[in-house]
Amino acid sequence: MSTRGEQAIKALSRFGELAWFKLPLEVNPRYGYTQVPYMGWRYTTPEERIARHIEAAVKALPTQLDWTVDRTRRNWVIVPTRILCEAGGLSDPAFRDTVQSVNENDQDFCSRALIDFESIIRHLQHIPIPEY
């Protein structure tokens, strides 16, 4: 796993035991372009207070782009808001197509999203864990 992936797992694991995690590659291995970063995960025991805490932390962080913590499905996802809006949500089959289109046609967006994403991960590594 990449260093970025290890850092993301470490950050998220602070808030609970991970049952599942996914992070796309930073660079497309075949074509070499930067890809839109987003991260999906699931805790073995999801807690509403942890979800609200992570959402608030992501929302409060100054970033170049708008980001969403989407919990509409079983897995939680941090993703640029633009992707969700253009795709019509995570459950829409257009989500993958939207990500691919942005990857291929808007490298400036992908680069800014990657900088933001790394800031989000660093922030999640250092914010306090909510008390019970």
Side-chain angles (χ1 to χ4, degrees):
M1 178 164 293
S2 71
T3 301
R4 185 170 57 110
E6 292 167 356
Q7 291 172 348
I9 288 172
K10 183 178 176 183
L12 294 172
S13 293
R14 296 178 65 230
F15 304 101
E17 183 180 345
L18 291 175
W20 178 84
F21 175 82
K22 179 180 180 175
L23 179 69
L25 295 173
E26 182 176 327
V27 175
N28 182 289
R30 185 171 188 185
Y31 299 109
Y33 52 71
T34 301
Q35 300 190 118
V36 174
Y38 61 92
M39 175 171 59
W41 75 98
R42 179 175 58 251
Y43 289 112
T44 55
T45 307
E47 296 185 35
E48 183 63 27
R49 69 180 180 84
I50 295 296
R52 287 192 310 267
H53 187 67
I54 292 171
E55 285 174 326
V58 170
K59 190 173 194 171
L61 185 66
T63 54
Q64 299 176 67
L65 307 172
D66 291 328
W67 289 80
T68 299
V69 177
D70 186 293
R71 298 185 296 126
T72 59
R73 301 182 67 175
R74 179 178 179 195
N75 301 323
W76 299 355
V77 177
I78 295 176
V79 62
T81 304
R82 170 186 169 186
I83 301 298
L84 285 181
C85 291
E86 289 182 13
L90 291 172
S91 60
D92 193 306
F95 180 80
R96 285 182 182 242
D97 294 339
T98 299
V99 169
Q100 188 61 33
S101 177
V102 171
N103 288 344
E104 293 174 358
N105 299 305
D106 197 344
Q107 282 292 284
D108 180 59
F109 179 86
C110 294
S111 295
R112 289 185 296 136
L114 188 58
I115 291 167
D116 282 356
F117 187 78
E118 290 171 354
S119 293
I120 290 167
I121 296 304
R122 280 192 306 274
H123 187 58
L124 291 175
Q125 286 175 326
H126 296 99
I127 62 172
I129 299 170
E131 297 290 326
Y132 284 96

